[in-house]
Amino acid sequence: MIRTIRIGELQPGMYVVDLHKPWLDHLLWRRRFEVRDAEHIRRLVAAGIEQVSIDTDRGGDLPPPPSRPRFDDVGWRAIAEKRASAVPKVSLGEERRRSGKLIREGALMLDELTLAARAGRSVEAARLEPIVGKMMESVVRNPDALVPLARLKQMDRYATEHAVATAALIIALGRQQGVAAPELEKMALGTMLKDIGQAAIDARLIGKPGLLSLSEYELVQSHVEEGLAVLEATSSLPETSVAVVLEHHERYNGLGYPYRMRGDEISLAGRLAAIVDTYDAMTSQRPYRAALSPTEALRQLYGEGGRQFDPALVAGLIRTLGVYPVGTLVMLESGHLAVVEEIHSDQPLAPVVKVIYHGRRRQYVAPVRVDLARRVGNHYGRIVAADSFERWGLNPLGWQPG
């Protein structure tokens, strides 16, 4: 567990993962170490360190208070529950309708911020905070609404819709990993802003079909530090948000960029962001390659666990989304095609689906909602395989869930 403490609370045996120095001072920022003795602590104080973050899984922790619960553990949970309960419960269909509106709202706001960055004006990141709060509430109410809808994008709006989709994903995955709500909101904010530096790069290069030259690839990579420069000059972002911006292209094996960090040198926020950023890119149609099905994308991510990505977090994403994520097109034993609508956590291979198409006849059918976990009323059989909308000439944007 990562927790932030005052320098006066630091003790020998604790494992420091963040010195909370200015982010542009990378040499200090990247140091992670076990505190050796009191002299080590005195040197940190002399260097002007006022607070640090420690990893209690790798070193010592503060003793618990006698009887007073921490606000992070209890107070925020109460606030989050109150926030969620204050919103009337709605059906899944209604939640998806609201999610569609929220996705459009977030994309439009990002368009405005990107235009401001391109024009050299202030990027008011705080304008995204209410949208992030609404996304948190939506995922708490029902993760099968916002996350799958955000995956469906229009080609000409990929950048902003990708930002919204990855924010929804990091909220869902972070909740599955037990990340506290305040940290999760900071991660989602950073995920929304992580590609703001692309405003300084020719859009034709970002979406260029085919391989990039070495110089072109280096220019694309520069969007990370360009984004940080823009945000640090015009916004006051939490350090967790900045970690997402800086680290979402770092890789677990040290072969990412810009700093070639490896393993747990990469913050939890950065490791989560790397996974959701890659998954959403893999499942999106791009000028230089076709979209993968969600199931195939998860299979490939699983294969990279321990190399490019933290294997425990990849497993967490699979548990979050299911073997057949909501929105996946699947082939049934009957020859029908269906779209996954809901996941049974206890029966991941038998979700609720909406049958929409007859594969052998190549024609649409009247939509039928079928719970594959129930034998009664299921005339379509089990899932044979995940499929793709593109292979059948179907439009994923035309699928209307609920």
Side-chain angles (χ1 to χ4, degrees):
M1 172 180 164
I2 306 298
R3 64 186 310 181
T4 300
I5 62 174
R6 298 188 304 276
I7 191 66
E9 298 174 302
L10 190 63
Q11 300 174 16
M14 290 181 173
Y15 191 88
V16 173
V17 295
D18 192 342
L19 292 172
H20 293 273
K21 292 291 287 184
W23 281 91
L24 290 178
D25 188 357
H26 297 301
L27 292 177
L28 283 173
W29 168 66
R30 293 178 61 189
R31 289 176 58 197
R32 295 172 178 233
F33 52 85
E34 182 177 349
V35 178
R36 297 185 300 273
D37 49 32
E39 177 59 29
H40 196 176
I41 296 173
R42 281 194 289 272
R43 287 203 298 270
L44 294 174
V45 173
I49 305 298
E50 296 179 354
Q51 61 178 0
V52 297
S53 290
I54 60 172
D55 186 343
T56 59
D57 293 329
R58 302 186 62 180
D61 193 2
L62 291 176
S67 59
R68 187 177 167 189
R70 296 197 309 272
F71 180 78
D72 279 351
D73 289 346
V74 179
W76 179 262
R77 188 180 301 119
I79 290 174
E81 290 173 354
K82 182 177 180 181
R83 176 191 289 175
S85 63
V87 179
K89 298 296 181 182
V90 297
S91 67
L92 179 58
E94 173 62 17
E95 188 63 45
R96 283 171 172 159
R97 187 192 67 78
R98 294 183 181 188
S99 295
K101 182 179 179 181
L102 181 56
I103 290 166
R104 291 190 294 273
E105 182 183 353
L108 287 172
M109 181 64 70
L110 280 169
D111 280 339
E112 291 182 21
L113 297 182
T114 301
L115 287 172
R118 190 170 288 128
R121 300 195 305 270
S122 175
V123 176
E124 300 175 46
R127 295 174 65 190
L128 288 170
E129 291 177 0
I131 295 173
V132 170
K134 292 177 185 177
M135 294 175 73
M136 293 276 290
E137 292 170 3
S138 178
V139 173
V140 167
R141 282 193 299 261
N142 197 318
D144 288 343
L146 179 63
V147 172
L149 277 182
R151 186 171 54 81
L152 305 179
K153 303 176 186 67
Q154 300 177 56
M155 183 75 76
D156 60 347
R157 295 187 57 79
Y158 172 78
T160 52
E161 292 182 354
H162 170 67
V164 176
T166 49
L169 278 165
I170 207 167
I171 291 169
L173 177 55
R175 288 188 73 239
Q176 193 278 334
Q177 291 292 305
V179 177
E183 278 296 287
L184 199 48
E185 288 189 310
K186 296 170 190 173
M187 290 181 188
L189 179 61
T191 308
M192 294 275 273
L193 292 165
K194 61 183 170 45
D195 292 323
I196 197 77
Q198 290 184 359
I201 300 173
D202 190 333
R204 291 172 297 180
L205 183 59
I206 298 296
K208 177 184 174 181
L211 294 175
L212 299 177
S213 67
L214 179 59
S215 61
E216 288 174 332
Y217 185 58
E218 289 176 347
L219 184 59
V220 169
Q221 287 183 333
S222 72
H223 82 271
V224 173
E225 290 174 312
E226 288 282 357
L228 179 62
V230 168
L231 293 169
E232 285 210 325
T234 63
S235 304
S236 178
L237 284 183
E239 293 187 3
T240 299
S241 302
V242 177
V244 170
V245 175
L246 279 179
E247 300 174 11
H248 68 280
H249 284 297
E250 298 292 348
R251 291 297 179 258
Y252 204 65
N253 57 9
L255 298 180
Y257 66 86
Y259 306 116
R260 292 191 174 274
M261 302 165 73
R262 67 169 58 244
D264 65 359
E265 289 179 352
I266 309 168
S267 69
L268 175 61
R271 282 176 280 144
L272 288 169
I275 291 172
V276 300
D277 180 65
T278 303
Y279 170 79
D280 188 70
M282 293 170 75
T283 55
S284 300
Q285 191 77 14
R286 304 296 290 128
Y288 44 84
R289 55 141 183 82
L292 296 180
S293 72
T295 299
E296 175 59 21
L298 290 175
R299 187 190 69 78
Q300 292 191 20
L301 284 175
Y302 182 79
E304 289 298 327
R307 293 196 290 268
Q308 292 201 59
F309 307 106
D310 185 329
L313 298 183
V314 172
L317 182 66
I318 295 172
R319 286 193 294 272
T320 299
L321 299 179
V323 177
Y324 301 107
V326 172
T328 303
L329 188 71
V330 294
M331 174 66 75
L332 304 178
E333 288 179 313
S334 64
H336 288 82
L337 292 167
V339 180
V340 176
E341 287 226 310
E342 293 182 51
I343 303 297
H344 294 301
S345 59
D346 56 338
Q347 297 190 61
L349 298 178
V352 177
V353 302
K354 180 179 284 185
V355 178
I356 62 169
Y357 194 83
H358 198 296
R360 287 193 288 269
R361 297 175 186 167
R362 288 192 173 268
Q363 64 183 32
Y364 284 96
V365 298
V368 179
R369 199 168 189 268
V370 181
D371 187 344
L372 299 182
R374 297 183 179 181
R375 294 185 179 180
V376 178
N378 177 10
H379 309 296
Y380 301 91
R382 297 172 298 178
I383 293 175
V384 175
D387 218 311
S388 72
F389 289 91
E390 291 75 21
R391 189 169 84 85
W392 291 92
L394 306 178
N395 180 10
L397 292 172
W399 167 56
Q400 297 296 322

